[in-house]
Amino acid sequence: MMQDAVFRAIRVEEVAPGKFDQQVVERNASELPDHPLRLAVSYSSLNFKDALSAFGNRGVTTHYPHTPGIDAVGRVLEDRSGTFREGQELLVTGYGLGMNTPGGLAEQVAIPAEWALPLPDGLSARESMVLGTAGLTAGLCVEKLLEAGARPEQGEVLVTGATGGVGSIAVALLAHLGFRVAAVTGKLESADFLTRLGAWKVLDRETLVPFANKAIAKPLWAWAVDTVGGDTLFNVIKSLAYGGGVAACGMAAGAQFQANVFPFILRGISLLGVDSVELPLAKKAAVWEKLAGEWYIGDKLARIAEDISLEQAPEFLARLHRGHGIGRYVVDMAL
């Protein structure tokens, strides 16, 4: 009977060449992939990668129709691998979820058992999706900076794309750890949102534009988290102080940038790459434990996220795809 359970899911379909439609449909559990672990999803969240999948980006999702959603938290319905017990609450981010395996924007998912982690003590299911892949990525960026020697007394930390999911959590997390955060955004109307998260100052993204024609710029920031990529990333590198570094995790502005060696060999700057998708599960678990413990930003999580229903998800995916998202959107399957 359980195998035939009907559940709701977002279905993305190519209705005409290059035109994709997103709707909530009913699916049967027997239509899910034949993976051993099946979850009843309680919450998911929306990420930029989900928006790319929802609008036909073949670099994210190859085959359609498809259900996006790279994040999910829920309870075990069955686990044929024997790894988890029925009813146990698990967290899933990254790997193939929502890319080429039906994802978390559904009331059920079926996945390999090695993709899932027990929900960390100290985090509610909803809080885990306020964080989601964005929070994990922000945590990994902060960890990279700390491992490279970043300390609050060294100076300001720049965060680009600060109103986005990763950026907003990075601002809150760095502020929680005592850093003075300079938040860069193209949405200055959201400055109050960023200052409430702990930003020391809010800068227009145009602040970085004059650096484009310089081989190296005046040192302004000790460290940085870049969620944007493209030439923005190298403009940040040019303006870091001696011995600093930037944790790079995004490419919304492009995958390539014009570069030279001067910042690296004259100032000893480090470019620290961050991946949150194929990261070994043990490493993910370690960062989640920090996010649930010493890095817990519970007082800020409510300010970052807006709760929406599964039926609202297509509207908000379109908003993200247009670059109009602010903070995080949590999909509550009970709404």
Side-chain angles (χ1 to χ4, degrees):
M1 188 71 175
M2 185 179 292
Q3 289 295 333
D4 295 328
V6 173
F7 63 91
R8 297 176 302 149
I10 297 291
R11 178 185 172 96
V12 178
E13 187 169 5
E14 189 170 16
V15 294
K19 180 175 174 57
F20 291 81
D21 183 56
Q22 308 85 27
Q23 293 186 357
V24 177
V25 301
E26 288 191 343
R27 294 198 66 194
N28 194 291
S30 62
E31 300 174 60
L32 287 170
D34 186 25
H35 293 307
L37 178 58
R38 187 158 60 94
L39 303 180
V41 177
S42 53
Y43 296 93
S44 184
S45 68
L46 301 187
N47 300 275
F48 185 61
K49 188 175 285 185
D50 300 322
L52 293 176
S53 175
F55 284 86
N57 187 305
R58 303 282 180 177
V60 176
T61 298
T62 306
H63 300 293
Y64 293 87
H66 177 65
T67 296
I70 63 173
D71 293 340
V73 64
R75 297 190 180 275
V76 176
L77 293 174
E78 63 174 348
D79 181 14
R80 301 194 306 273
S81 76
T83 307
F84 303 106
R85 67 180 185 277
E86 187 174 333
Q88 187 173 0
E89 205 160 22
L90 303 181
L91 172 63
V92 191
T93 62
Y95 301 118
L97 184 71
M99 296 177 67
N100 289 306
T101 294
L105 293 179
E107 292 176 315
Q108 290 190 29
V109 294
I111 58 172
E114 56 267 25
W115 288 5
L117 287 168
L119 182 67
D121 292 338
L123 280 182
S124 69
R126 180 185 175 277
E127 286 175 331
S128 75
M129 287 294 97
V130 175
L131 293 166
T133 291
L136 176 63
T137 305
L140 288 164
C141 287
V142 170
E143 187 175 65
K144 285 275 190 178
L145 296 185
L146 295 176
E147 289 174 348
R151 298 187 306 277
E153 63 270 19
Q154 293 169 330
E156 295 178 6
V157 179
L158 189 75
V159 177
T160 65
T163 54
V166 178
S168 59
I169 296 173
V171 168
L173 182 53
L174 286 162
H176 172 76
L177 294 175
F179 288 90
R180 288 177 296 156
V181 182
V184 175
T185 180
K187 305 181 181 77
L188 283 181
E189 67 275 11
S190 299
D192 287 346
F193 167 75
L194 292 169
T195 54
R196 288 196 302 270
L197 295 182
W200 176 263
K201 64 174 67 167
V202 179
L203 303 172
D204 192 304
R205 64 185 174 197
E206 296 299 312
T207 302
L208 299 172
V209 171
F211 305 156
N213 296 322
K214 297 181 179 180
I216 195 167
K218 179 181 177 181
L220 297 173
W221 301 286
W223 301 90
V225 172
D226 177 63
T227 73
V228 176
D231 287 328
T232 295
L233 172 57
F234 201 66
N235 286 339
V236 170
I237 290 170
K238 292 175 185 178
S239 54
L240 289 174
Y242 189 91
V246 54
C249 64
M251 52 182 173
Q256 298 181 352
F257 57 83
Q258 296 294 319
N260 65 71
V261 301
F262 292 122
F264 302 109
I265 64 174
L266 297 182
R267 290 194 186 149
I269 301 302
S270 299
L271 174 56
L272 309 167
V274 173
D275 165 60
S276 62
V277 179
E278 296 297 333
L279 193 70
L281 197 63
K283 181 65 173 176
K284 286 188 178 184
V287 175
W288 277 111
E289 290 300 322
K290 289 181 180 178
L291 291 169
E294 61 192 286
W295 291 357
Y296 180 67
I297 53 170
D299 59 326
K300 306 284 178 60
L301 291 178
R303 302 173 190 173
I304 292 175
E306 178 179 348
D307 287 16
I308 64 172
S309 67
L310 189 63
E311 282 72 19
Q312 290 175 287
E315 170 194 347
F316 282 80
L317 285 166
R319 184 180 300 185
L320 283 175
H321 194 251
R322 294 193 300 268
H324 295 165
I326 302 291
R328 297 282 288 151
Y329 302 109
V330 174
V331 182
D332 184 345
M333 300 301 168
L335 293 179

